DNA sequence: CTGAAAGCGCTTACAG
DNA sequence: CTGAAAGCGCTTACAG
């Protein structure tokens, strides 16, 4: 073809703003890749998941891969619909946070060869790579932090715990309590909470004859609830509080909130690298990668029990 | 076809986990729709944009439309790449927040009939629907709130202002200052800040012979910087502060942070409805929809100037 | 109403 | 190396 013709065609391409239809191309392409990966997250407006998704995007960008992010809103049906929609779009891989109790429904797709990596949970009913915080150790450490300062009556607050990681936080808490010889009846364990009910739960706890001198809150929504309740009673400098998961601006609060911080950036980055390694042909046995948490002392967790 | 055959086929479909390839279907489909819309946001980990995206998803879900969300990270080149990638995927519509100074590059695609709605900015160099906060009125109201309490030396903090909405906040601030007869040299206007530089800027301001008695901060990152600086000097109960954009947990701070709150949920919902109306054939002249802000008094903005 | 053929816009394997 | 044909997996228009 003459150079002149090429130039003329390119000019028209420019003029019309032509963009090749990737879907048409994918249809016949040998590798069958769509250069996209699906990422269902709990809620795109949740800061933990937002950071996770952003970290994944950053790894995908230089590879020219588009990340399809959608919220499953803690709804098991929605999770399955989202996954089905991603598969109809023939995503090259799946990175998922999950709201379902079992992910066996993915086994078939896995056998078809679609790489999948779980974020922030260990898959149930299926074997696949997973990247998640060491929740049990983190909760253990946060709780021990309170015990070391002399607390014995420590309350545990948690959300609904269908997912393994959330259950692990409770386990870590109980590990620490048991190991220190504190009788379990002194440590009320309240789960299934959201922010509102956490407020009431803490107010109730504070009304007891022997109220807890410290609180371990295993999720950021319950931590916010606990802070509201403590501020409402003016006890934020009296009752100690350690929260699992970091909170925006928590260092600006008075007292600063001591937390067991996760590293969503690192989780997202590692998980994305894993998916791409699988796509590049790495066929080793699926593994669970554990990311350590960090105890960040900011004040609320260093309050001693009353003398 | 016999019922028996249908049943046998369906059984195999089930067994293999078959999902129809939507991209193959779209190729020949008459309406040419892919049931997807593209949404480039500033940063998926930014709470304002996260809420925006989530609101859009909620409108799209019952219509069976997938929202392709990606971060442009305030990078003009990335914005254009993202848009190009969305067009190669033949999205049915585009909803965009923007980091570019002009969106003329979209004119061609618009003429091709792709509906587009701008979120949180008015398009430049192109006519299209836009949904955004009434920034100028909001900033005016927040600033007047300080003036009404007797403040005259009010500092303005802002980020880099390429986008119209950010410039409008400064205009609203200046409107209020001028209307009250305060000489402009008493109201330092500092822009181009991020959180770190906002901290230093405020510390510098406080070191002046005649430091400001109040601060109007036009972006949440500068507001956080201002709070840090004030806390650092122990002046958070002395210097008044009004921020534009709500902040997570800002009601738990001491003092609570008075803000001019935007409504990202409403912006996202309305913008999504607009795109779908356009897709349904509504062909009226493009319009700009303005969402009012709300002044939320929490304490920091109600601090009077020193007697 | 049913079933076989054409065609969507690309990539790929193949003949010249 | 170049160019025309086949084919990806669907939907649609058409013939029976």
């Amino acid at each position: 073809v003459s150079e002149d013709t090429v130039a003329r065609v390119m000019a028209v391409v420019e003029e019309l703003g032509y963009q090749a239809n990737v879907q048409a191309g994918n249809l016949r392409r040998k590798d069958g890749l769509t250069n996209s990966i699906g990422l269902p997250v709990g809620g795109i407006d949740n800061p933990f998941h937002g950071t996770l998704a952003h970290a994944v995007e950053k790894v995908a960008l230089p590879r020219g891969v588009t990340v399809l992010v959608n919220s499953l809103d803690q709804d098991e049906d929605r999770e399955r619909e989202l996954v089905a929609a991603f598969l109809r779009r023939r995503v090259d891989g799946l990175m998922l946070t999950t709201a379902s109790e079992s992910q066996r429904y993915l086994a078939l797709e896995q056998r078809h060869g679609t790489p999948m990596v779980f974020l922030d949970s260990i898959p149930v009913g299926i074997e696949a790579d997973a990247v998640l915080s060491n929740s049990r150790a983190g909760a253990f450490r946060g709780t021990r932090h309170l015990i070391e300062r002399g607390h014995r009556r420590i309350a545990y607050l948690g959300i609904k715990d269908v997912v393994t990681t959330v259950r692990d936080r409770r386990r870590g808490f109980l590990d620490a309590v048991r190991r220190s010889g504190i009788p379990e009846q002194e440590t009320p364990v309240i789960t299934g909470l959201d922010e509102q009910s956490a407020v009431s739960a803490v107010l109730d706890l504070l009304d007891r004859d022997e109220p807890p001198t410290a609180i371990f809150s295993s999720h950021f929504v319950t931590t916010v609830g606990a802070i509201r309740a403590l501020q409402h009673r003016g006890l934020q400098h009296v009752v100690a509080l350690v929260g699992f998961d970091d909170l925006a601006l928590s260092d600006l609060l008075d007292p600063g909130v001591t937390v067991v911080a996760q590293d969503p950036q690192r989780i997202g980055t590692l998980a994305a690298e894993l998916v791409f390694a699988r796509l590049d042909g790495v066929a080793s046995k699926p593994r669970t990668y554990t990311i350590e948490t960090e105890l960040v002392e900011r004040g609320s967790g260093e309050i001693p029990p009353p003398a």
Side-chain angles (χ1 to χ4, degrees), chain A residues 89-157:
Chain A
R89 286 184 196 282
R90 297 292 186 267
V91 292
D92 303 332
L94 235 27
M95 304 183 57
L96 356 90
T97 67
T98 181
S100 54
E101 296 189 38
S102 162
Q103 290 72 243
R104 195 167 295 126
Y105 71 95
L106 286 163
L108 209 56
E109 191 58 31
Q110 192 185 38
R111 238 172 292 141
H112 289 354
T114 305
M116 38 190 82
V117 174
F118 286 80
L119 294 107
D120 196 34
S121 71
I122 294 180
V124 175
I126 181 181
E127 267 191 58
D129 291 316
V131 183
L132 63 161
S133 298
N134 193 341
S135 297
R136 190 163 182 169
F140 178 83
R141 179 137 158 58
T143 308
R144 203 188 49 188
H145 186 70
L146 292 167
I147 294 171
E148 282 170 354
R149 264 142 202 85
H151 293 279
R152 285 181 64 85
R153 288 201 308 281
I154 307 171
Y156 175 93
L157 306 180

Side-chain angles (χ1 to χ4, degrees), chain A residues 195-211:
Chain A
E195 186 180 321
Q196 265 316 309
S197 55
V199 174
S200 339
V202 172
L203 292 177
D204 284 352
L205 285 169
L206 296 173
D207 284 339
R208 292 191 179 186
D209 287 342
E210 295 209 308

Side-chain angles (χ1 to χ4, degrees), chain A residues 255-277:
Chain A
V257 189
T258 295
V259 297
V260 177
Q262 299 192 78
D263 192 344
Q265 180 112 26
R266 188 136 171 251
I267 294 175
T269 304
L270 180 56
E273 286 166 353
L274 269 173
V275 160
F276 288 124

